Coordinates of all heavy atoms in Angstrom, one line a residue:
M284 N 0.8 -1.2 0.0 CA 0.0 0.0 0.0 C 0.9 1.2 0.0 O 1.9 1.3 0.7 CB -0.9 0.0 1.2 CG -1.9 0.9 1.2 SD -3.5 0.1 0.8 CE -4.6 1.2 1.5
R285 N 0.5 2.2 -0.8 CA 1.4 3.4 -0.9 C 1.3 4.3 0.2 O 2.2 5.0 0.6 CB 1.0 4.1 -2.2 CG 1.4 3.3 -3.4 CD 1.1 4.1 -4.6 NE 1.4 3.2 -5.8 CZ 1.2 3.5 -7.0 NH1 0.6 4.6 -7.3 NH2 1.5 2.7 -7.9
G286 N 0.1 4.4 0.8 CA -0.1 5.4 1.9 C -1.5 5.4 2.3 O -2.4 4.9 1.6
K287 N -1.8 5.9 3.5 CA -3.1 5.9 4.0 C -4.1 6.7 3.0 O -3.8 7.8 2.6 CB -3.1 6.6 5.3 CG -4.5 6.5 6.0 CD -4.4 7.1 7.4 CE -5.7 6.9 8.1 NZ -5.7 7.3 9.5
G288 N -5.2 6.0 2.7 CA -6.2 6.6 1.8 C -5.8 6.5 0.4 O -6.5 7.1 -0.5
K289 N -4.8 5.8 0.0 CA -4.3 5.7 -1.4 C -4.6 4.3 -1.9 O -4.7 3.3 -1.1 CB -2.8 5.9 -1.5 CG -2.3 7.2 -1.0 CD -2.6 8.3 -2.0 CE -2.1 9.6 -1.5 NZ -2.1 10.6 -2.5
C290 N -4.8 4.1 -3.2 CA -5.0 2.8 -3.8 C -3.6 2.1 -3.8 O -2.6 2.7 -3.9 CB -5.5 3.0 -5.2 SG -7.1 3.7 -5.3
G291 N -3.7 0.8 -3.9 CA -2.5 -0.1 -3.9 C -1.9 -0.2 -5.3 O -0.8 -0.6 -5.4
T292 N -2.6 0.2 -6.3 CA -2.1 0.2 -7.7 C -2.6 1.4 -8.4 O -3.5 2.1 -8.0 CB -2.7 -1.1 -8.5 OG1 -4.1 -1.0 -8.6 CG2 -2.3 -2.4 -7.8
D293 N -1.9 1.6 -9.6 CA -2.4 2.7 -10.5 C -3.6 2.3 -11.2 O -3.9 1.1 -11.3 CB -1.3 3.1 -11.5 CG -0.1 3.8 -10.9 OD1 -0.3 4.5 -9.8 OD2 1.0 3.7 -11.4
G294 N -4.4 3.2 -11.7 CA -5.6 2.9 -12.4 C -5.5 3.4 -13.8 O -4.5 4.1 -14.2
R295 N -6.5 3.0 -14.6 CA -6.6 3.5 -16.0 C -8.0 3.7 -16.3 O -8.9 3.1 -15.7 CB -6.0 2.5 -16.9 CG -6.6 1.1 -16.8 CD -6.1 0.1 -17.7 NE -6.6 0.3 -19.0 CZ -6.2 -0.4 -20.1 NH1 -5.2 -1.2 -20.0 NH2 -6.8 -0.2 -21.3
A296 N -8.3 4.6 -17.2 CA -9.7 4.9 -17.6 C -9.7 5.3 -19.1 O -8.8 5.8 -19.6 CB -10.2 6.1 -16.8
T297 N -10.9 4.9 -19.6 CA -11.2 5.2 -21.0 C -12.6 5.8 -21.0 O -13.5 5.2 -20.4 CB -11.1 4.0 -21.9 OG1 -9.8 3.4 -21.9 CG2 -11.4 4.3 -23.4
A298 N -12.8 6.9 -21.7 CA -14.2 7.4 -21.6 C -14.5 8.2 -23.0 O -13.5 8.6 -23.6 CB -14.3 8.4 -20.5
F299 N -15.7 8.2 -23.3 CA -16.1 9.1 -24.4 C -17.5 9.6 -24.2 O -18.3 9.0 -23.4 CB -16.0 8.4 -25.8 CG -17.1 7.4 -26.1 CD1 -18.2 7.8 -26.8 CD2 -17.0 6.1 -25.7 CE1 -19.2 6.9 -27.1 CE2 -18.0 5.2 -26.0 CZ -19.2 5.6 -26.7
A300 N -17.9 10.7 -24.8 CA -19.3 11.2 -24.7 C -19.7 11.7 -26.0 O -19.0 12.0 -26.9 CB -19.2 12.4 -23.7
F301 N -21.1 11.8 -26.2 CA -21.7 12.2 -27.4 C -23.1 12.7 -27.1 O -23.6 12.4 -26.0 CB -21.7 11.1 -28.5 CG -22.4 9.9 -28.1 CD1 -23.8 9.7 -28.4 CD2 -21.8 8.9 -27.4 CE1 -24.4 8.6 -28.0 CE2 -22.4 7.7 -27.0 CZ -23.8 7.6 -27.3
K302 N -23.7 13.4 -28.0 CA -25.1 13.8 -27.9 C -26.0 12.7 -28.5 O -25.7 12.3 -29.6 CB -25.4 15.1 -28.6 CG -24.8 16.3 -27.8 CD -25.3 17.6 -28.5 CE -24.8 18.8 -27.7 NZ -25.3 20.1 -28.3
N303 N -27.0 12.3 -27.8 CA -28.0 11.3 -28.3 C -29.0 12.0 -29.2 O -28.9 13.3 -29.4 CB -28.6 10.5 -27.2 CG -29.5 11.3 -26.3 OD1 -29.9 12.5 -26.6 ND2 -29.9 10.7 -25.2
T304 N -30.0 11.3 -29.7 CA -31.0 11.9 -30.6 C -31.8 12.9 -30.0 O -32.4 13.7 -30.7 CB -31.8 10.8 -31.2 OG1 -32.5 10.1 -30.1 CG2 -31.0 9.8 -32.0
K305 N -31.9 13.0 -28.6 CA -32.7 14.0 -27.9 C -31.8 15.2 -27.6 O -32.3 16.2 -27.1 CB -33.2 13.4 -26.6 CG -34.2 12.4 -26.7 CD -34.7 11.7 -25.4 CE -34.4 12.4 -24.1 NZ -34.9 11.7 -22.9
G306 N -30.5 15.1 -27.9 CA -29.6 16.3 -27.7 C -29.0 16.2 -26.3 O -28.3 17.1 -25.9
D307 N -29.3 15.1 -25.5 CA -28.6 15.0 -24.2 C -27.2 14.5 -24.4 O -26.9 13.7 -25.3 CB -29.4 13.9 -23.4 CG -30.8 14.4 -23.1 OD1 -31.1 15.6 -23.0 OD2 -31.7 13.5 -22.9
I308 N -26.3 14.9 -23.5 CA -24.9 14.4 -23.6 C -24.9 13.1 -22.7 O -25.3 13.1 -21.6 CB -23.9 15.4 -23.0 CG1 -23.9 16.6 -23.9 CG2 -22.6 14.8 -22.9 CD1 -23.1 17.8 -23.4
V309 N -24.5 12.0 -23.3 CA -24.4 10.7 -22.7 C -22.9 10.3 -22.7 O -22.1 10.7 -23.6 CB -25.3 9.7 -23.3 CG1 -26.8 10.1 -23.1 CG2 -25.0 9.5 -24.8
S310 N -22.5 9.4 -21.9 CA -21.1 8.9 -21.8 C -21.0 7.5 -21.5 O -21.9 6.8 -21.0 CB -20.3 9.8 -20.8 OG -20.8 9.5 -19.5
W311 N -19.8 6.9 -21.8 CA -19.4 5.6 -21.5 C -18.1 5.6 -20.9 O -17.2 6.4 -21.4 CB -19.4 4.7 -22.8 CG -19.0 3.3 -22.6 CD1 -19.8 2.2 -22.2 CD2 -17.7 2.7 -22.7 NE1 -19.0 1.1 -22.1 CE2 -17.7 1.4 -22.4 CE3 -16.4 3.3 -22.9 CZ2 -16.6 0.5 -22.4 CZ3 -15.3 2.5 -22.9 CH2 -15.4 1.1 -22.7
T312 N -17.9 5.0 -19.8 CA -16.6 5.0 -19.1 C -16.2 3.6 -18.6 O -17.0 2.9 -18.1 CB -16.7 6.0 -17.8 OG1 -17.2 7.2 -18.2 CG2 -15.3 6.1 -17.2
F313 N -14.9 3.3 -18.8 CA -14.3 2.1 -18.3 C -13.2 2.4 -17.4 O -12.3 3.2 -17.7 CB -13.7 1.3 -19.5 CG -13.0 0.0 -19.1 CD1 -13.7 -1.1 -18.8 CD2 -11.6 0.0 -18.9 CE1 -13.1 -2.3 -18.4 CE2 -11.0 -1.1 -18.6 CZ -11.7 -2.3 -18.3
V314 N -13.2 1.9 -16.2 CA -12.2 2.2 -15.2 C -11.7 0.9 -14.6 O -12.5 0.0 -14.3 CB -12.8 3.0 -14.0 CG1 -11.7 3.3 -12.9 CG2 -13.4 4.3 -14.5
A315 N -10.4 0.7 -14.5 CA -9.8 -0.6 -14.1 C -8.4 -0.3 -13.5 O -7.8 0.7 -13.6 CB -9.7 -1.5 -15.3
A316 N -7.9 -1.4 -12.9 CA -6.6 -1.4 -12.3 C -5.6 -1.5 -13.4 O -5.8 -2.1 -14.4 CB -6.4 -2.5 -11.3
K317 N -4.4 -0.9 -13.2 CA -3.3 -1.0 -14.2 C -2.1 -1.6 -13.5 O -1.9 -1.5 -12.3 CB -2.9 0.4 -14.6 CG -1.8 0.5 -15.6 CD -1.6 1.9 -16.0 CE -0.4 2.0 -17.0 NZ -0.2 3.4 -17.5
G318 N -1.4 -2.5 -14.3 CA -0.2 -3.1 -13.8 C -0.4 -4.3 -12.9 O 0.4 -4.7 -12.1
V319 N -1.6 -4.9 -13.0 CA -1.9 -6.1 -12.2 C -2.0 -7.3 -13.2 O -2.2 -7.1 -14.4 CB -3.2 -6.0 -11.4 CG1 -3.1 -4.9 -10.4 CG2 -4.4 -5.7 -12.3
D320 N -1.9 -8.5 -12.7 CA -2.0 -9.7 -13.5 C -3.3 -9.8 -14.4 O -3.3 -10.2 -15.5 CB -1.9 -11.0 -12.7 CG -0.5 -11.2 -12.1 OD1 0.5 -10.6 -12.6 OD2 -0.4 -12.0 -11.2
E321 N -4.4 -9.3 -13.8 CA -5.7 -9.4 -14.5 C -6.0 -8.1 -15.3 O -7.2 -7.9 -15.6 CB -6.8 -9.6 -13.4 CG -6.7 -10.9 -12.6 CD -5.7 -10.8 -11.4 OE1 -5.4 -9.6 -11.1 OE2 -5.3 -11.8 -10.9
E322 N -5.0 -7.3 -15.5 CA -5.3 -6.0 -16.3 C -5.9 -6.3 -17.6 O -5.5 -7.2 -18.3 CB -4.0 -5.3 -16.5 CG -4.2 -4.0 -17.2 CD -2.9 -3.2 -17.4 OE1 -1.9 -3.6 -16.8 OE2 -2.9 -2.2 -18.1
V323 N -7.0 -5.6 -17.9 CA -7.7 -5.7 -19.2 C -6.8 -5.0 -20.3 O -6.5 -3.9 -20.1 CB -9.1 -5.1 -19.1 CG1 -9.8 -5.2 -20.5 CG2 -9.9 -5.7 -18.0
P324 N -6.4 -5.8 -21.3 CA -5.6 -5.2 -22.3 C -6.3 -4.1 -23.1 O -7.5 -4.1 -23.3 CB -5.3 -6.4 -23.3 CG -5.8 -7.6 -22.6 CD -6.8 -7.2 -21.5
D325 N -5.5 -3.2 -23.7 CA -6.0 -2.1 -24.5 C -6.9 -2.6 -25.6 O -7.9 -2.0 -25.9 CB -4.9 -1.2 -25.0 CG -4.3 -0.3 -24.0 OD1 -5.0 0.1 -23.0 OD2 -3.2 0.2 -24.2
A326 N -6.4 -3.7 -26.2 CA -7.2 -4.2 -27.4 C -8.6 -4.6 -27.0 O -9.5 -4.4 -27.7 CB -6.4 -5.4 -28.0
M327 N -8.7 -5.2 -25.8 CA -10.1 -5.6 -25.3 C -10.9 -4.4 -25.0 O -12.1 -4.3 -25.4 CB -10.0 -6.4 -24.1 CG -11.3 -6.8 -23.5 SD -12.3 -7.8 -24.6 CE -11.5 -9.3 -24.6
V328 N -10.4 -3.3 -24.4 CA -11.1 -2.1 -24.2 C -11.6 -1.5 -25.5 O -12.7 -1.1 -25.6 CB -10.3 -1.1 -23.4 CG1 -11.0 0.2 -23.2 CG2 -9.9 -1.7 -22.0
R329 N -10.7 -1.5 -26.5 CA -11.0 -0.9 -27.8 C -12.1 -1.8 -28.5 O -13.0 -1.2 -29.2 CB -9.8 -0.8 -28.7 CG -8.9 0.3 -28.1 CD -7.7 0.5 -29.1 NE -6.7 1.4 -28.5 CZ -6.9 2.7 -28.4 NH1 -7.9 3.3 -28.9 NH2 -5.9 3.5 -27.8
K330 N -12.0 -3.1 -28.3 CA -13.1 -3.9 -28.9 C -14.4 -3.7 -28.3 O -15.4 -3.6 -29.0 CB -12.7 -5.4 -28.7 CG -13.6 -6.4 -29.4 CD -13.1 -7.8 -29.3 CE -14.0 -8.7 -30.0 NZ -13.4 -10.1 -30.0
I331 N -14.5 -3.5 -27.0 CA -15.7 -3.2 -26.3 C -16.2 -1.9 -26.7 O -17.4 -1.7 -27.1 CB -15.5 -3.2 -24.7 CG1 -15.2 -4.6 -24.2 CG2 -16.8 -2.7 -24.0 CD1 -14.7 -4.7 -22.8
L332 N -15.3 -0.9 -26.8 CA -15.7 0.5 -27.2 C -16.3 0.5 -28.6 O -17.2 1.2 -28.9 CB -14.5 1.4 -27.1 CG -14.6 2.8 -27.4 CD1 -15.6 3.5 -26.4 CD2 -13.3 3.5 -27.3
S333 N -15.8 -0.4 -29.5 CA -16.2 -0.4 -30.9 C -17.7 -0.9 -31.0 O -18.3 -0.8 -32.0 CB -15.3 -1.2 -31.7 OG -15.5 -2.6 -31.5
T334 N -18.2 -1.6 -29.9 CA -19.5 -2.1 -30.0 C -20.6 -1.2 -29.4 O -21.8 -1.4 -29.5 CB -19.6 -3.5 -29.2 OG1 -19.5 -3.2 -27.8 CG2 -18.6 -4.5 -29.6
V335 N -20.1 -0.1 -28.8 CA -21.1 0.9 -28.2 C -21.7 1.7 -29.3 O -21.0 2.2 -30.2 CB -20.4 1.8 -27.2 CG1 -21.3 2.9 -26.7 CG2 -19.7 1.0 -26.1
R336 N -23.1 1.7 -29.4 CA -23.8 2.4 -30.4 C -24.9 3.3 -29.8 O -25.5 2.9 -28.8 CB -24.5 1.4 -31.3 CG -23.6 0.4 -32.0 CD -22.9 1.1 -33.2 NE -22.1 0.2 -34.0 CZ -20.8 -0.1 -33.7 NH1 -20.2 0.5 -32.7 NH2 -20.2 -1.0 -34.5
P337 N -25.1 4.4 -30.4 CA -26.2 5.2 -29.8 C -27.6 4.5 -30.0 O -27.8 3.8 -31.1 CB -26.2 6.5 -30.7 CG -24.9 6.5 -31.4 CD -24.4 5.1 -31.4
M338 N -28.4 4.6 -29.1 CA -29.8 4.0 -29.2 C -30.7 5.0 -30.0 O -30.6 6.2 -29.9 CB -30.4 3.8 -27.8 CG -29.6 2.8 -27.0 SD -30.4 2.5 -25.4 CE -32.0 1.9 -25.8
T339 N -31.6 4.4 -30.7 CA -32.7 5.1 -31.3 C -34.0 4.5 -31.0 O -34.1 3.3 -30.6 CB -32.5 5.1 -32.9 OG1 -32.5 3.8 -33.3 CG2 -31.2 5.8 -33.3
G340 N -35.1 5.3 -31.1 CA -36.4 4.7 -30.8 C -36.9 5.1 -29.5 O -36.4 6.1 -28.8
A341 N -37.9 4.4 -28.9 CA -38.6 4.7 -27.7 C -37.6 4.8 -26.5 O -37.8 5.7 -25.7 CB -39.7 3.7 -27.4
A342 N -36.6 4.0 -26.4 CA -35.8 4.0 -25.2 C -34.9 5.3 -25.2 O -34.5 5.7 -24.1 CB -34.8 2.8 -25.2
D343 N -34.7 5.9 -26.3 CA -33.9 7.1 -26.4 C -34.8 8.4 -26.5 O -34.3 9.5 -26.6 CB -33.0 7.0 -27.6 CG -32.0 8.1 -27.6 OD1 -31.5 8.6 -26.5 OD2 -31.5 8.5 -28.7
G344 N -36.1 8.1 -26.5 CA -37.1 9.3 -26.6 C -37.3 9.6 -28.1 O -38.1 10.6 -28.4
G345 N -36.7 8.9 -29.0 CA -36.9 9.2 -30.4 C -38.2 8.5 -30.9 O -39.0 8.0 -30.1
S346 N -38.3 8.4 -32.2 CA -39.5 7.8 -32.7 C -39.2 6.4 -33.3 O -38.1 6.0 -33.4 CB -40.1 8.7 -33.8 OG -39.2 9.0 -34.8

């Protein structure tokens, strides 16, 4: 542990935001530990990110 009130490892984050069909700003964020055996590789984060799509229709308030 690095110190009182501190995390034991460094972190990493990936985020993006956009306006949906209603004009609202929405976002997607991935937060994880960095430098650990179970660290999620950048390629996996990018693969997940590539599947995120804006919603259309009733769930988004559109038609």
Side-chain angles (χ1 to χ4, degrees):
M284 191 102 154
R285 292 184 182 173
K287 188 174 182 175
K289 301 281 183 170
C290 294
T292 63
D293 287 332
R295 58 181 279 171
T297 300
F299 78 94
F301 58 94
K302 284 188 178 182
N303 66 12
T304 58
K305 292 175 21 179
D307 296 329
I308 297 175
V309 295
S310 64
W311 179 88
T312 307
F313 175 83
V314 179
K317 181 178 179 179
V319 297
D320 291 341
E321 299 85 12
E322 181 176 351
V323 178
D325 282 335
M327 178 60 72
V328 174
R329 292 184 188 282
K330 185 174 183 176
I331 295 167
L332 185 59
S333 74
T334 68
V335 177
R336 301 284 185 269
M338 293 181 64
T339 58
D343 190 32
S346 54

